[in-house]
Amino acid sequence: MQPLKSSKNKTLIMIISGTNGAKLWLLSNLYEICWDTNGNVYFAEQSNYQVHRCTIDNSSGNDWIINNHNGSYNIRGEVPGTIHTILLAANQISEPYWGYNDVKLRYLVYDLWTFRKNFSLTNDILTLTKFTIHFDQIDTIANITLNQCFLGQTNNMFVAYSFDITRNCLKSTNELRLDFESPVIYALDQSQSYNDSVPPFCPPDIQHAFNYYSNNQTCQLFYSNLTFIYVQYQLNTVILFVNQTNLAIQLARSVVRPTVCPSAVWNPNGTTIAGSASGNSGSSSSQLNNPFDIAVDSALSLYVADYSNYRIMKWINGSANSTVVGPQLGYGVGPDTQHLHSATALYLDSTESNLYIADTHNCRVLKWNMVSNSVTVAVGGSGCGSSLNTFYWSDGIYVDRFSNIYVSDCNNNRVLKFPPNSTSSTLSVIVAGTGTAGSALNQLSTPGGIYVDESDNDTLYVVDRLNNRVMKYRANDTNRTVVAGGNGPGSSFKQLYDPRDVYVDSFGTVYVSDTANHRIMKWVKNARNGTLIVGVTGVTGTTPSRLNNPYGIRLDKSGNLYVADYTNDRIQRFTIDNSSC
């Protein structure tokens, strides 16, 4: 068994094999990925003390095209394999090891051979930034190209090779090509270049004076259970690996959080990337009306909960106009999933294929699957209430790597956690608050935005709006702590005033939309006082440096700050400046 990669990140694994569909594994603290000689994939899950095995289905047929230089052979074949095994399987040659067939087939080792394979990449993969192709074992002399981009050459079968791929070499439909030279001719050319002979100097008679080593180095071997293409950006990894007859795709994603040093600052002047820069509301494709929450994907596409227009809008990065996604029919009350009654929270899951929507007045969370373009009820949907299968108004949702759904239940002063595949009758558990409003450390008063730090044992952060603080709940720990505010309503840097949303970066810095103070604050880990990031305390306006009731906040993969500027009917992006780090 060979290890591929070690990682302690919490990861979602998806393997797509041939034409047989996809399988998902949700893993915690992924430690190692291994393949055995039969192509089975093993995932070692450290924190759950489990090992998972996935068997790759190789039933989709031979999908490598192999031909020689003059085209007299043009067949499909399997990898791992050699020219001899591939031609034998295609009934093109006799058994090489029978009688003197190895002598009769000697012409094969003087020929040039090409292996070609086509594969497709989806748009979400093409938006990533780092691409590498890896070959575990190739015998021996091969030039490798991808879509006519030369990647590199191999000249030793006993080492692995990895080559970086420039982004402009990749397309939605691709051709990987390996052109093998004759190792016999290569060895002879090398011996002449170095004025030396190729050992052994006295080959046995059975070789008919033909060099033994050269004869056995001519398999034109493309053999590997660990040949793959992988793409990586921060915690996001995509692996396309060539295994037997399939091009399989393994998508490993974790929640992507930028690495933002605690001393980083942001440009105080924001750029309007959605809605009206002058603060004008509207319902056209370029306008918003009270944007409540936002989500940003790895391609920097923006999703907006357009509260008073009863819709979810998507802005592709750099576009002046948006499209309606998810529910298509605007305002509506009842079980129909194509209507909304005020969207107040969004969450884009770690696969970036599902967008969760808090349909607040319908007391449910919807899930829009981007692949199938279907909208379903994820939790709730049986009316508003205070039982464990219902909630009443939600300003915050979060979906973890196991597909547990956290819901901020504002009017019931609690945070609920629903298990995966919940129905309208599925009971949740209370993970924060008691259900009764209060200011004690175990109580909440109108909870707003929430965030789960999956890298810190699923620590839960909750905006406790009317207590003007942000609370921190460690999993399976009865201690609750105030990490921001908690000193009554006010405008000093140790206070908050009706905060709405929270975000936590990889350093544990807590970001808060301090709504009634019209500013965004941050609290570095263990700080008693906050730091003003953007906005002017207590001052509203539509200039680039002003905010007017900021609600949802997010950081993108580079650390740029996005703010749903609710009353100004726009989304502002503030560029990070890491020069102070």
Side-chain angles (χ1 to χ4, degrees):
M1 184 179 295
Q2 297 289 330
L4 170 63
K5 184 179 188 296
S6 294
S7 170
K8 293 188 178 180
N9 298 322
K10 295 168 183 177
T11 304
L12 171 68
I13 297 291
M14 177 174 69
I15 290 185
I16 307 171
S17 179
T19 59
N20 299 303
K23 296 181 179 180
L24 294 176
W25 286 264
L26 292 161
L27 305 178
S28 176
N29 289 336
L30 178 63
Y31 188 73
E32 198 166 75
I33 305 175
C34 301
W35 275 262
D36 65 20
T37 56
N38 295 318
N40 298 313
V41 187
Y42 297 81
F43 307 103
E45 197 174 5
Q46 189 177 37
S47 63
N48 288 334
Y49 305 100
Q50 294 178 339
V51 175
H52 305 266
R53 183 178 70 181
C54 165
T55 300
I56 300 297
D57 185 349
N58 295 313
S59 61
S60 64
N62 302 340
D63 57 358
W64 281 91
I65 299 174
I66 300 100
N67 60 269
N68 60 345
H69 80 287
N70 66 7
S72 57
Y73 290 108
N74 190 5
I75 58 176
R76 291 183 176 271
E78 290 189 2
V79 169
T82 74
I83 287 299
H84 295 84
T85 60
I86 290 169
L87 293 177
L88 181 63
N91 297 316
Q92 299 292 305
I93 62 172
S94 302
E95 170 58 58
Y97 292 106
W98 180 259
Y100 287 98
N101 283 343
D102 60 329
V103 177
K104 297 176 183 178
L105 296 173
R106 188 168 292 164
Y107 68 93
L108 295 174
V109 305
Y110 283 98
D111 214 338
L112 307 179
W113 296 91
T114 297
F115 284 65
R116 290 179 291 122
K117 185 182 188 68
N118 296 318
F119 63 93
S120 299
L121 296 177
T122 56
N123 288 333
D124 63 325
I125 295 176
L126 290 171
T127 58
L128 301 178
T129 55
K130 181 179 179 181
F131 300 81
T132 302
I133 186 168
H134 173 91
F135 298 93
D136 190 56
Q137 191 177 41
I138 295 179
D139 182 7
T140 295
I141 312 301
N143 292 300
I144 302 166
T145 58
L146 180 64
N147 298 330
Q148 298 182 344
C149 293
F150 178 73
L151 301 182
Q153 185 184 68
T154 66
N155 57 17
N156 189 331
M157 71 165 290
F158 299 106
V159 297
Y161 291 89
S162 294
F163 304 103
D164 289 334
I165 304 173
T166 58
R167 170 62 186 84
N168 57 10
C169 288
L170 285 172
K171 305 175 183 178
S172 57
T173 301
N174 305 270
E175 181 186 71
L176 176 63
R177 176 172 174 148
L178 292 88
D179 291 294
F180 287 90
E181 298 182 28
S182 165
V184 175
I185 296 175
Y186 179 86
L188 291 174
D189 288 344
Q190 291 296 305
S191 69
Q192 293 173 5
S193 298
Y194 289 97
N195 195 26
D196 199 356
S197 299
V198 180
F201 307 116
C202 300
D205 290 340
I206 192 66
Q207 296 298 322
H208 296 270
F210 189 78
N211 184 286
Y212 173 80
Y213 283 99
S214 293
N215 190 36
N216 282 275
Q217 288 281 338
T218 59
C219 298
Q220 306 292 19
L221 176 68
F222 184 14
Y223 178 85
S224 176
N225 279 330
L226 276 176
T227 300
F228 56 88
I229 302 171
Y230 68 90
V231 185
Q232 186 166 12
Y233 182 81
Q234 292 181 353
L235 298 184
N236 276 0
T237 303
V238 177
I239 298 175
L240 311 178
F241 67 91
V242 180
N243 187 7
Q244 301 291 344
T245 60
N246 289 331
L247 183 67
I249 299 177
Q250 174 183 307
L251 173 58
R253 288 188 184 272
S254 306
V255 174
V256 179
R257 295 191 298 173
T259 301
V260 179
C261 77
S263 60
V265 296
W266 285 258
N267 188 324
N269 293 313
T271 300
T272 301
I273 59 170
S276 169
S278 58
N280 297 319
S281 63
S283 59
S284 72
S285 62
S286 64
Q287 293 178 303
L288 296 168
N289 192 357
N290 300 137
F292 214 101
D293 198 17
I294 50 179
V296 183
D297 66 19
S298 58
L300 303 185
S301 292
L302 175 70
Y303 302 83
V304 183
D306 193 6
Y307 179 82
S308 295
N309 281 324
Y310 307 99
R311 64 187 185 180
I312 309 300
M313 306 300 291
K314 178 181 179 180
W315 263 267
I316 296 174
N317 185 32
S319 175
N321 295 296
S322 61
T323 56
V324 178
V325 298
Q328 297 290 308
L329 301 180
Y331 173 81
V333 178
D336 180 7
T337 60
Q338 288 300 315
H339 288 88
L340 285 173
H341 190 1
S342 302
T344 52
L346 299 178
Y347 189 81
L348 185 64
D349 74 4
S350 57
T351 69
E352 296 190 353
S353 59
N354 295 300
L355 182 69
Y356 292 80
I357 304 161
D359 185 12
T360 288
H361 289 298
N362 282 322
C363 298
R364 63 186 182 178
V365 174
L366 300 176
K367 181 174 75 171
W368 170 51
N369 182 276
M370 302 180 192
V371 178
S372 63
N373 196 30
S374 60
V375 181
T376 56
V377 177
V379 296
S382 58
C384 304
S386 59
S387 62
L388 289 178
N389 67 322
T390 61
F391 52 89
Y392 194 0
W393 190 288
S394 177
D395 280 358
I397 53 177
Y398 189 97
V399 183
D400 68 15
R401 64 201 178 281
F402 301 115
S403 296
N404 295 308
I405 301 176
Y406 296 74
V407 178
S408 176
D409 188 3
C410 298
N411 288 359
N412 288 317
N413 304 293
R414 63 188 183 178
V415 177
L416 304 176
K417 180 181 178 181
F418 289 86
N421 303 314
S422 290
T423 66
S424 60
S425 61
T426 301
L427 300 182
S428 64
V429 295
I430 299 175
V431 292
T434 62
T436 301
S439 59
L441 290 180
N442 68 333
Q443 291 180 303
L444 297 169
S445 184
T446 313
I450 56 177
Y451 189 89
V452 178
D453 188 349
E454 298 184 56
S455 68
D456 186 22
N457 197 30
D458 297 334
T459 297
L460 172 66
Y461 294 80
V462 182
V463 172
D464 191 6
R465 282 184 54 199
L466 298 189
N467 284 322
N468 299 289
R469 64 188 183 184
V470 176
M471 299 298 298
K472 178 179 179 179
Y473 297 80
R474 290 194 176 276
N476 304 316
D477 191 341
T478 57
N479 293 324
R480 293 94 173 176
T481 56
V482 179
V483 293
N487 296 298
S491 59
S492 75
F493 282 5
K494 67 177 182 179
Q495 293 177 300
L496 296 169
Y497 190 9
D498 192 18
R500 286 281 184 166
D501 202 9
V502 61
Y503 183 90
V504 183
D505 71 18
S506 57
F507 277 94
T509 300
V510 177
Y511 301 80
V512 186
S513 57
D514 190 8
T515 301
N517 280 322
H518 312 292
R519 66 188 183 183
I520 308 299
M521 301 288 291
K522 75 172 183 179
W523 266 258
V524 298
K525 202 168 186 177
N526 300 320
R528 294 187 178 182
N529 294 321
T531 302
L532 176 67
I533 300 178
V534 295
V536 179
T537 300
V539 180
T540 64
T542 59
T543 61
S545 64
R546 304 291 176 88
L547 298 170
N548 194 350
N549 293 315
Y551 276 26
I553 54 174
R554 293 293 189 278
L555 296 182
D556 68 17
K557 60 188 180 184
S558 300
N560 300 310
L561 173 66
Y562 295 68
V563 180
D565 196 4
Y566 180 83
T567 306
N568 280 333
D569 303 300
R570 65 186 184 181
I571 308 300
Q572 296 290 92
R573 179 171 62 200
F574 297 87
T575 304
I576 190 170
D577 180 2
N578 282 312
S579 61
S580 61
C581 296

